[in-house]
Amino acid sequence: MQLTPIEMDALKEVGNIGAGNAATSLSQMINRRIHMNVPLVKLLPFDEVAELLGGPETEVAGIYLKVLGDAPGSILFVLPVESGLALTDMLMGIEPGISTDFSEMTQSALMEIGNILAASYLNALADMTSLSLQPSIPALSCDMAAAIMSVILVELGEVGDTALVIETEFIAENRDIKGYFFLLPDPGSLSIMMKAIGVGL
Amino acid sequence: MEKKIKVGMADLKVATEPDKLVTLGLGSCVGIALYDFKTKVGGLAHIMLPDSKQARKGDVNAAKYADTALSVLVDEMKKKGVSKQRIVAKIAGGAQMFKFNNGASDIMRVGTRNIEAVKKGLAEYRIPITAEDTGGNFGRTIELDTKTGSLFIKTISKGEKTI
């Protein structure tokens, strides 16, 4: 898969708008200001994707869902453990740092966060592209980064050895909360999206 | 000095005593560890998908698929003087990391399909499986010790063990 600089820019913009919308939802949820850095759009070899998350064995929380509709694909929202716990503490109105592992309660809170973030992300994309895009019900897993990333890499593995990663970083004010969005369009969906935003592919 | 040789995703490597072959964070992927007790040669493959026939044209990474990885790994071991009859296998991985309530789609069951494909391939090569740690919903890091042929398995939620 090869992308021109214009297509990369277009995808960056897609990621930017989607993540901006998601950051607003997140900030309303936890009632704190959220900073978001400019998404990086990268084509990465399989092995390097887990490195983004701190190494293959780093424990992370992954919220995975399918994108249904005109341009199918997958979304994976990944949080380092400390960020995931701090985020759910904020959501539940307790002092961040109190929770130290993923209880059933924090897991269900994380699912909810993932659900809302993904929906707002997709809404922004749908608005921008006039495509119909709906999220599936999310699934959650807290485990090694490589094991979690492998799920989407396997899907992509059927078409190549690199993953298209649209990376986004959220940082909550006074609290280092990092999360990474991976938007993974199915093979045919990339060109549908490009066409919809007026960049030929 | 013994070395730890890293095997990446969709990758395979061969090593001899006293080195160790390591692959990190197997999810739905399967680690195939082959070993010959006589020459103390080990081989480790980290496969992602069951069948190379499903690959798109021009995809030449043999280590990605259960069927092709196995034949390359066996050939590489033969080059180190291993006779096929002596090879034994240990396998690990093939988990389902995410569970959806509305029934698992094909892609979600890829862990199970990977395990089946690896077992089928090993049976065709008449390579016996002496131990396995497969399935479940958790990630695994595995380490093949070429001194002993033992396979060390590390997880986050289910502890550690050696098979």
Side-chain angles (χ1 to χ4, degrees):
Chain A
M1 184 160 50
Q2 286 289 322
L3 291 173
T4 67
I6 291 174
E7 287 159 355
M8 281 287 199
D9 276 351
L11 278 173
K12 204 175 270 191
E13 195 53 26
V14 166
N16 224 337
I17 289 170
N21 219 26
T24 307
S25 299
L26 186 59
S27 125
Q28 283 166 357
M29 249 190 294
I30 63 172
N31 205 19
R32 273 165 223 244
R33 215 188 281 174
I34 304 266
H35 294 286
M36 179 204 71
N37 80 4
V38 179
L40 300 166
V41 179
K42 289 180 191 157
L43 279 167
L44 280 181
F46 290 153
D47 268 353
E48 288 173 32
V49 176
E51 295 299 332
L52 273 182
L53 303 167
E57 290 184 292
T58 310
E59 188 180 7
V60 297
I63 298 145
Y64 176 74
L65 47 94
K66 303 291 292 177
V67 178
L68 313 165
D70 293 337
S74 322
I75 287 179
L76 183 68
F77 181 55
V78 183
L79 294 151
V81 172
E82 316 78 57
S83 292
L85 291 172
L87 198 56
T88 51
D89 281 349
M90 287 182 201
L91 186 71
M92 294 188 284
I94 55 177
E95 188 57 33
I98 285 183
S99 300
T100 52
D101 57 9
F102 290 109
S103 62
E104 232 168 81
M105 182 76 155
T106 50
Q107 297 213 8
S108 105
L110 269 180
M111 284 265 255
E112 197 46 38
I113 290 170
N115 213 356
I116 292 167
L117 286 182
S120 52
Y121 195 108
L122 280 182
N123 276 342
L125 293 195
D127 282 351
M128 186 180 176
T129 56
S130 305
L131 294 170
S132 158
L133 303 167
Q134 303 93 33
S136 75
I137 295 165
L140 176 79
S141 176
C142 304
D143 213 306
M144 297 177 188
I148 286 184
M149 294 308 299
S150 73
V151 174
I152 45 171
L153 296 182
V154 159
E155 289 187 47
L156 294 161
E158 295 191 324
V159 288
D161 282 323
T162 50
L164 172 68
V165 180
I166 300 177
E167 180 194 21
T168 312
E169 202 171 25
F170 298 105
I171 298 161
E173 212 182 8
N174 304 326
R175 197 83 207 177
D176 210 18
I177 289 192
K178 286 180 182 171
Y180 299 87
F181 252 112
F182 297 90
L183 173 65
L184 299 130
D186 286 354
S189 298
L190 196 53
S191 58
I192 294 171
M193 241 184 248
M194 290 290 125
K195 250 178 233 149
I197 48 179
V199 184
L201 194 77
Chain B
M1 252 294 274
E2 67 170 63
K3 282 183 305 207
K4 273 194 188 184
I5 300 165
K6 208 185 132 194
V7 178
M9 194 179 273
D11 185 15
L12 60 84
K13 298 244 167 68
V14 170
T16 43
E17 186 189 19
D19 296 343
K20 286 179 173 155
L21 288 161
V22 187
T23 197
L24 308 175
L26 288 165
S28 58
C29 302
V30 173
I32 313 170
L34 301 184
Y35 187 65
D36 171 25
F37 281 95
K38 194 175 168 197
T39 56
K40 302 209 181 286
V41 172
L44 184 63
H46 180 147
I47 63 109
M48 295 177 73
L49 290 162
D51 191 359
S52 64
K53 289 191 255 331
Q54 286 163 5
R56 90 194 143 145
K57 267 187 212 142
D59 186 355
V60 289
N61 186 359
K64 197 154 76 179
Y65 304 93
D67 53 344
T68 43
L70 202 52
S71 81
V72 174
L73 196 57
V74 169
D75 283 348
E76 291 293 315
M77 287 177 75
K78 279 184 188 161
K79 281 183 203 159
K80 300 252 178 192
V82 173
S83 136
K84 202 190 82 186
Q85 286 73 24
R86 285 198 309 261
I87 298 177
V88 291
K90 290 180 181 176
I91 61 173
Q96 185 181 338
M97 298 306 296
F98 291 97
K99 266 214 159 65
F100 285 95
N101 294 326
N102 52 344
S105 67
D106 248 21
I107 203 80
M108 289 292 111
R109 285 190 293 102
V110 72
T112 313
R113 290 194 291 132
N114 280 338
I115 298 166
E116 283 165 6
V118 168
K119 286 185 175 172
K120 185 168 161 260
L122 288 169
E124 279 165 11
Y125 273 91
R126 301 220 171 93
I127 296 173
I129 298 171
T130 56
E132 67 173 291
D133 181 45
T134 53
N137 61 351
F138 52 91
R140 296 166 172 93
T141 282
I142 61 169
E143 201 175 285
L144 174 65
D145 187 340
T146 57
K147 280 184 293 196
T148 59
S150 65
L151 191 67
F152 174 67
I153 298 164
K154 200 163 73 178
T155 70
I156 285 181
S157 55
K158 310 281 174 195
E160 300 175 347
K161 64 171 155 181
T162 303
I163 60 170

